[in-house]
């Protein structure tokens, strides 16, 4: 069983517990549930923004603790000030030290789109994401069937959420294309063994249909990498560890942006 299998197995138990504790009706009564969402595309393509989706992540299964000494409000506000087009907030507790409260706090502190970064396997999580103030959900092709992607994406769109599909190879891309997606992200990190290569994005770029925004995720630590990816047609760039490993992630992003 690889790490992704372990995460999904754990997530099924976690979601089952959450569904016992909280009803859909309770989620829908959240003050944030009726708040309009921000447009992912609008912010991603805005000329005064960087295209960077800046991530708040305390730890990862491959690297262990990255930074558990900073607060989500300060970091995400710093990212937004540095020109982030969107924020990504981990809500997986057991493997990434994320919490749902992190997402709620990030929403309270910022006026740009926020991605709920988690392993979405159930419609309950989609409704929950909206109740916490998320604007974007992530659907990972490696853990979902085409039918599951269709079901979750349709629900997300009905709630006004933006949908980012994550793929790792051509087979996942071709079987998972769905009209209810807003963007397709190429994860340069292999979730089975956590090795990284930005070449994954270059290989898949020409296969992503033009109607979807193109996002490159992980393995981005140099401004020149973004310049190259832009030439290949990418609109967005998810960066987390490169900033989070610094004492002040927001300031680290600000320095990075100067070289773009």
């Amino acid at each position: 069983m690889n790490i992704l299998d372990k995460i999904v197995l754990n997530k099924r138990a976690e979601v089952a517990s959450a569904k016992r504790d909280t009803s859909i009706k309770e989620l829908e009564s959240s003050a944030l549930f009726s708040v309009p969402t921000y447009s992912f595309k609008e912010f991603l393509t805005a000329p005064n923004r960087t295209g960077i989706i800046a991530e708040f992540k305390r730890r990862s299964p491959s690297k262990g603790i990255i930074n558990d000494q900073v607060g989500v409000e300060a970091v995400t506000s710093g990212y937004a000030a540095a020109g982030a087009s969107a924020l990504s907030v981990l809500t997986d507790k057991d493997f990434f030290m994320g919490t749902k409260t992190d997402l709620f706090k990030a929403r309270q502190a910022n006026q740009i789109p926020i991605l709920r970064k988690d392993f979405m396997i159930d419609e309950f999580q989609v409704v929950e994401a909206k109740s916490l103030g998320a604007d974007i959900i992530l659907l990972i092709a490696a853990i979902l069937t085409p039918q599951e992607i269709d079901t979750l994406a349709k629900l997300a769109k009905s709630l006004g959420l933006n949908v980012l599909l994550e793929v790792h190879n051509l087979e996942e891309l071709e079987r998972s294309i769905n009209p209810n997606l807003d963007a397709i992200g190429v994860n340069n990190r292999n979730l089975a063994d956590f090795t990284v290569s930005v070449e994954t994005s270059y290989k898949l770029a020409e296969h992503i249909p033009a109607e979807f925004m193109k996002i490159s995720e992980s393995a981005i630590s140099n401004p020149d990498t973004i310049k190259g990816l832009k030439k290949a047609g990418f609109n967005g760039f998810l960066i987390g560890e490169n900033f989070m490993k610094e004492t002040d992630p927001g300031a680290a992003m600000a320095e990075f942006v100067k070289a773009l």
Side-chain angles (χ1 to χ4, degrees):
M1 185 181 291
N2 63 37
I3 186 63
L4 186 57
D5 294 330
K6 292 177 182 176
I7 290 172
V8 173
L9 188 64
N10 188 74
K11 190 61 58 178
R12 294 195 188 285
E14 180 187 307
V15 173
S17 177
K19 290 168 80 170
R20 287 192 296 269
D21 294 339
T22 308
S23 69
I24 291 291
K25 197 167 184 178
E26 286 175 292
L27 294 177
E28 292 173 341
S29 66
S30 158
L32 291 173
F33 193 81
S34 59
V35 175
T37 51
Y38 290 101
S39 166
F40 190 22
K41 183 176 184 178
E42 184 180 315
F43 277 78
L44 208 56
T45 58
N48 64 328
R49 294 278 162 186
T50 60
I52 292 174
I53 304 159
E55 188 161 88
F56 182 81
K57 177 168 66 173
R58 293 187 182 89
R59 87 178 293 275
S60 77
S62 60
K63 296 291 179 70
I65 300 291
I66 299 168
N67 188 342
D68 62 353
Q69 301 300 308
V70 289
V72 65
E73 298 102 326
V75 171
T76 55
S77 295
Y79 285 158
S85 290
L87 304 168
S88 172
V89 179
L90 268 294
T91 57
D92 178 85
K93 180 181 178 182
D94 294 337
F95 293 88
F96 292 88
M97 284 180 69
T99 70
K100 295 168 190 176
T101 303
D102 287 334
L103 177 53
F104 179 80
K105 287 180 177 179
R107 172 76 294 146
Q108 299 297 100
N110 296 280
Q111 290 77 50
I112 65 174
I114 300 179
L115 166 70
R116 180 187 184 178
K117 187 78 175 292
D118 210 320
F119 299 81
M120 310 292 277
I121 55 172
D122 192 284
E123 291 175 86
F124 179 88
Q125 293 168 287
V126 179
V127 180
E128 185 179 56
K130 184 71 170 74
S131 76
L132 292 168
D135 304 280
I136 313 158
I137 64 159
L138 178 71
L139 300 180
I140 302 173
I143 64 174
L144 298 167
T145 66
Q147 181 56 54
E148 288 170 332
I149 290 170
D150 185 58
T151 298
L152 295 173
K154 280 179 179 175
L155 174 58
K157 299 308 290 183
S158 75
L159 297 176
L161 291 164
N162 301 266
V163 182
L164 169 60
L165 173 74
E166 177 179 293
V167 300
H168 299 83
N169 54 51
L170 185 58
E171 186 274 330
E172 286 181 4
L173 173 64
E174 291 180 337
R175 69 173 163 81
S176 305
I177 290 289
N178 187 290
N180 290 299
L181 307 173
D182 295 283
I184 293 177
V186 179
N187 194 340
N188 300 311
R189 186 185 305 277
N190 183 320
L191 288 181
D193 60 17
F194 281 81
T195 56
V196 294
S197 173
V198 76
E199 286 304 312
T200 307
S201 284
Y202 286 111
K203 287 177 182 177
L204 292 185
E206 64 186 50
H207 298 284
I208 299 174
E211 63 262 35
F212 303 110
M213 291 180 293
K214 297 180 178 70
I215 313 294
S216 183
E217 306 172 9
S218 301
I220 302 172
S221 58
N222 189 308
D224 288 338
T225 302
I226 287 183
K227 293 174 184 177
L229 287 166
K230 280 184 176 180
K231 289 179 182 177
F234 283 87
N235 313 99
F237 319 92
L238 193 147
I239 305 175
E241 188 178 310
N242 189 61
F243 301 145
M244 285 298 296
K245 68 183 181 182
E246 304 297 335
T247 304
D248 185 339
M253 179 176 165
E255 279 301 307
F256 184 94
V257 168
K258 287 179 183 178
L260 287 178

